[in-house]
Amino acid sequence: MNSITEFLSDVSSLLWGWPMIILLLGTHIFLTIRLRFPQRFLLKAIKLSISKDKNAHGEVSQFGALATALAATIGTGNIIGVATAVSLGGPGAVLWCWLTGLFGISTKYAEGLLAVKYRIKAENGRVLGGPMYALERGLGWKWMAVLFAVFTAIASFGIGNTVQANAIATLTSETYHISPYITGVVIMLMAGAVVLGGIKSIAKVCTMLVPFMAVFYVIGCIVILFLNGSYVWPALKLICEAAFSPEAAGGGFVGSTVMMAARFGIARGLFSNESGMGSAPIVASAAQTRNPVRQALVSSSGTFWDTVVICALTGLVIVSSVLAYPDITYDNGATLTKMAFSKIPYIGAPLLTFGLLTFAFSTILGWELYGERAVEYLNSRMRLPYRMLYIVALFIGSVMNLGMVWNLADCMNALMAIPNLIALLFLSGVLVNETRKYLWNNQIEKDMEELQ
């Protein structure tokens, strides 16, 4: 097991070297400039996400698609993932994580646009889309589409399955002394009851769960920041300074380099918001929308909520807590997170456990859909076997080694991102044309006036 963990760690380090950082951030920045800063339409995107389009076609509502995508992205990456970035890359990793989300809004917009642009309607009436269809129908690269689907199917067992189950089992064991084997069985039963119902069942549960769990967690973070009041500003300064000058960290923080801060911050940022990975477009393609740009805007708002808001709050909570309480250790993300939240009298530990439970469970649901659609692209007859295997893997993940799980997730993230980012760059002309047609020419406003 240790040998496998070390091997995956080496592969992860190779994949997340400077080439990946340049490709990922470069794509974010390139699309931000090429699409004239779609971040400026954020308020419009939020308004569209809660609007209904009477003349739309799709399987789920725009909000349902957004909620499902958020369910898959708002998970342990927002809680333990950010803390892991700090423990491995120092406080500066928080800024890199945040910047990945800020510029990633453009990439998430582009992914959503292509997902709807190249989606298809299957014989059974189901709407299918995602990077594999953009690669095949937009670029004619069937072989790369197949690779993306394979990477997605494998990744679903890492980022969306074993990682989440392992995080739940670890905290429930440490906090309430519940056996990981018992936790694994419970997770299997709960997830199975939902995923066997397909996309509409998953979207329905996520629509109810996501708003509640996000608000609940944000309130908890605000309470901690209030308790750490005098350390919030120093923590913010430290995060910014340490991102480019690691020696500024001091205070007992783990030693790191700019490369380490950037690597772990960007890796955890992508793990959290998935901008550039190509996963969220899979569910975005099923949204009820009259044109690609409407759903593209809705999709882009997901990265804002996930990283620009929630991950930023988590980062501030972690760093300010380390500064405020010298007794906090930060040898690993799970322990660091637990100790930071334990500073809330009486309700800290239950708050963290509940937040992690709901975040991780919702991620399990969202990623099952991603993996299933990828498997369906490869072979439609494998949908049911995939569902059953996915449910069983939840139990296995509950008792696996955490280090191996995280390293496997990082590897799969990178392998998914590469073909997806290439497609975004090569189809940037299509993105510009669609954006000009519907957004820059105010067609979105005209559509909204019709609905009113």
Side-chain angles (χ1 to χ4, degrees):
M1 187 68 72
N2 290 333
S3 298
I4 296 175
T5 300
E6 291 177 4
F7 171 75
L8 290 174
S9 178
D10 292 339
V11 174
S12 176
S13 297
L14 177 65
L15 290 172
W16 284 107
W18 278 113
M20 173 57 77
I21 290 177
I22 293 172
L23 177 61
L24 179 62
L25 277 182
T27 301
H28 288 350
I29 295 172
F30 170 76
L31 291 175
T32 295
I33 297 173
R34 187 87 197 271
L35 298 174
R36 301 181 186 177
F37 293 84
Q39 292 90 336
R40 60 197 173 100
F41 297 102
L42 182 60
L43 291 178
K44 181 181 296 183
I46 295 173
K47 184 177 180 180
L48 282 171
S49 69
I50 56 176
S51 302
K52 291 185 178 181
D53 192 346
K54 299 178 181 178
N55 299 318
H57 302 284
E59 288 190 81
V60 296
S61 67
Q62 287 183 306
F63 183 74
L66 174 63
T68 304
L70 281 174
T73 55
I74 300 180
T76 54
N78 299 85
I79 306 178
I80 294 179
V82 175
T84 300
V86 173
S87 68
L88 296 176
V94 176
L95 180 63
W96 288 104
C97 180
W98 188 81
L99 288 174
T100 300
L102 181 64
F103 286 101
I105 290 175
S106 298
T107 303
K108 188 62 73 69
Y109 167 89
E111 291 176 317
L113 193 157
L114 294 181
V116 177
K117 171 73 175 178
Y118 293 109
R119 67 184 181 181
I120 65 171
K121 191 171 184 178
E123 294 180 358
N124 55 12
R126 299 169 64 248
V127 179
L128 306 174
M132 49 277 201
Y133 294 92
L135 286 164
E136 179 183 352
R137 303 183 68 216
L139 294 172
W141 296 349
K142 174 74 174 181
W143 63 274
M144 190 173 285
V146 170
L147 281 179
F148 176 85
V150 170
F151 293 148
T152 301
I154 297 174
S156 68
F157 289 99
I159 182 175
N161 187 303
T162 52
V163 163
Q164 311 303 327
N166 188 279
I168 295 174
T170 299
L171 269 188
T172 52
S173 176
E174 292 181 356
T175 306
Y176 301 109
H177 308 292
I178 299 175
S179 170
Y181 292 91
I182 296 176
T183 302
V185 171
V186 173
I187 296 173
M188 282 178 56
L189 295 176
M190 293 179 62
V194 179
V195 302
L196 292 177
I199 184 173
K200 292 185 178 180
S201 174
I202 293 174
K204 182 178 180 180
V205 172
C206 292
T207 298
M208 295 186 293
L209 185 60
V210 168
F212 171 72
M213 72 182 192
V215 171
F216 189 80
Y217 180 73
V218 167
I219 291 175
C221 288
I222 292 174
V223 171
I224 296 178
L225 292 177
F226 177 78
L227 295 174
N228 298 346
S230 59
Y231 294 93
V232 173
W233 179 247
L236 186 59
K237 289 178 59 179
L238 180 60
I239 288 171
C240 295
E241 293 172 359
F244 305 101
S245 179
E247 60 271 13
F253 275 100
V254 63
S256 65
T257 64
V258 172
M259 180 62 189
M260 288 177 65
R263 177 200 161 194
F264 289 109
I266 293 174
R268 295 306 174 213
L270 176 59
F271 182 91
S272 174
N273 64 58
E274 300 176 17
S275 292
M277 193 189 306
S279 52
I282 295 175
V283 68
S285 65
Q288 297 168 347
T289 182
R290 68 170 64 188
N291 64 63
V293 171
R294 286 177 64 93
Q295 185 55 37
L297 287 171
V298 173
S299 295
S300 70
S301 68
T303 298
F304 169 77
W305 294 119
D306 176 88
T307 306
V308 179
V309 175
I310 296 180
C311 280
L313 284 173
T314 302
L316 272 177
V317 163
I318 297 300
V319 177
S320 65
S321 295
V322 172
L323 294 179
Y325 307 102
D327 61 311
I328 288 183
T329 58
Y330 31 84
D331 55 342
N332 67 76
T335 301
L336 176 56
T337 306
K338 180 181 177 182
M339 295 188 73
F341 274 80
S342 68
K343 299 305 178 181
I344 302 181
Y346 306 112
I347 65 170
L351 173 66
L352 174 61
T353 303
F354 178 78
L356 181 62
L357 175 64
T358 54
F359 278 25
F361 183 71
S362 66
T363 301
I364 288 170
L365 300 182
W367 265 92
E368 191 284 331
L369 176 62
Y370 296 162
E372 181 179 322
R373 290 296 170 95
V375 168
E376 183 174 5
Y377 177 80
L378 298 170
N379 188 334
S380 60
R381 291 176 295 181
M382 294 301 296
R383 287 174 57 202
L384 183 57
Y386 169 82
R387 288 182 182 179
M388 303 309 297
L389 183 60
Y390 189 89
I391 294 171
V392 172
L394 291 170
F395 177 80
I396 298 174
S398 298
V399 296
M400 284 181 68
N401 176 273
L402 184 61
M404 185 181 74
V405 173
W406 277 106
N407 286 321
L408 176 62
D410 276 347
C411 291
M412 290 301 102
N413 286 357
L415 291 175
M416 285 180 62
I418 292 172
N420 179 60
L421 293 172
I422 291 175
L424 292 173
L425 293 173
F426 276 84
L427 291 172
S428 61
V430 175
L431 295 171
V432 171
N433 290 336
E434 293 292 319
T435 302
R436 179 183 294 112
K437 178 180 179 181
Y438 293 106
L439 189 58
W440 297 341
N441 291 335
N442 298 319
Q443 185 60 45
I444 296 293
E445 282 79 0
K446 296 176 182 177
D447 290 344
M448 294 179 71
E449 289 176 1
E450 290 181 12
L451 293 176
Q452 296 174 353

